[in-house]
Amino acid sequence: MAGEPTQLRVDALANRNRVLAVAREAFAAEGLDVPMTTIARRAGVGAATLYRRFPTKEALVTAVFADQFASCTSVVHDALEDPDPWRGFCVVVGELCAMQAVDRGFSAAFLAAFPDALPVARERTRAEEAFAELARRAKAAGRLRADFVADDLVLLMMANGGIVAGTVEATLIASRRLVAYFLQAFQADGPLPPATPLGLADALG
């Protein structure tokens, strides 16, 4: 009898890991709209088991992308350490769009507003604040156009999110080319029409 609780814990951990692996693959390929029941079925567990571990979609998304949320914020903070703010700015824009191109689930999760997912909200706020400081430094260095606003990054991500290619590799190649075009436009050189007010959620389409 003493071995039964241990075996139950092992089984529960295996179920949890399988659910997370299935959810990660589904979200990356299909976005966050994959139903919880579909994930449970693909993972070979009952819906009750899934909801016992992850009572909401937000809870599942947070668990699936916990490491990526932290990594995304780290990319921006690492760029702040670069003595060349324009280079750091370009790295951040390229990395964010590459993440979006290869994993639509993560980009949607990072941009979405999950009122009950405090870790997600904290990481996003940290990333936004760090990116704003990076943009300020790049402007001060005379490399980023003075009229660049955060909405312009959202505009780029909206365009980047619309890329549809046959493979992940092809999507990533197209994304890199699009980013290169935008980065040229972001350099300080001439005025732009007024910006359209956009929120991060607008990049989800």
Side-chain angles (χ1 to χ4, degrees):
M1 296 292 292
E4 289 185 6
T6 299
Q7 184 58 47
L8 288 174
R9 286 194 293 270
V10 170
D11 291 344
L13 180 60
N15 285 340
R16 183 180 188 277
N17 290 340
R18 189 161 60 253
V19 166
L20 290 176
V22 168
R24 186 177 296 110
E25 181 178 349
F27 291 155
E30 305 169 48
L32 300 185
D33 292 335
V34 183
M36 295 279 276
T37 51
T38 299
I39 292 171
R41 186 181 68 253
R42 293 178 184 177
V45 301
T49 297
L50 175 61
Y51 280 105
R52 187 162 54 249
R53 292 286 179 181
F54 307 103
T56 65
K57 173 69 77 65
E58 289 85 351
L60 178 59
V61 168
T62 301
V64 166
F65 294 114
D67 291 342
Q68 287 95 322
F69 288 138
S71 295
C72 186
T73 305
S74 294
V75 166
V76 188
H77 281 277
D78 288 346
L80 284 173
E81 300 299 321
D82 193 323
D84 182 342
W86 172 248
R87 182 171 57 200
F89 178 90
C90 292
V91 168
V92 169
V93 172
E95 288 289 334
L96 289 178
C97 287
M99 289 181 187
Q100 184 183 35
V102 302
D103 191 337
R104 298 192 181 277
F106 171 68
S107 64
F110 194 81
L111 296 173
F114 287 160
D116 298 327
L118 292 180
V120 177
R122 282 197 296 266
E123 292 296 341
R124 188 171 65 174
T125 297
R126 289 183 62 213
E128 288 176 343
E129 292 173 348
F131 183 77
E133 173 61 16
L134 184 60
R136 186 195 67 76
R137 294 181 188 180
K139 289 180 182 181
R143 299 298 308 280
L144 178 64
R145 58 187 315 130
D147 54 357
F148 174 87
V149 293
D151 295 332
D152 294 327
L153 176 61
V154 176
L155 188 64
L156 167 55
M157 296 191 73
M158 290 173 69
N160 190 62
I163 296 174
V164 178
T167 64
V168 171
E169 291 75 14
T171 300
L172 187 56
I173 290 171
S175 172
R176 287 171 178 158
R177 187 171 178 85
L178 177 68
V179 169
Y181 276 124
F182 267 80
L183 286 175
Q184 288 188 32
F186 288 162
Q187 294 186 73
D189 183 25
L192 283 174
T196 300
L198 298 168
L200 284 175
D202 292 312
L204 300 179

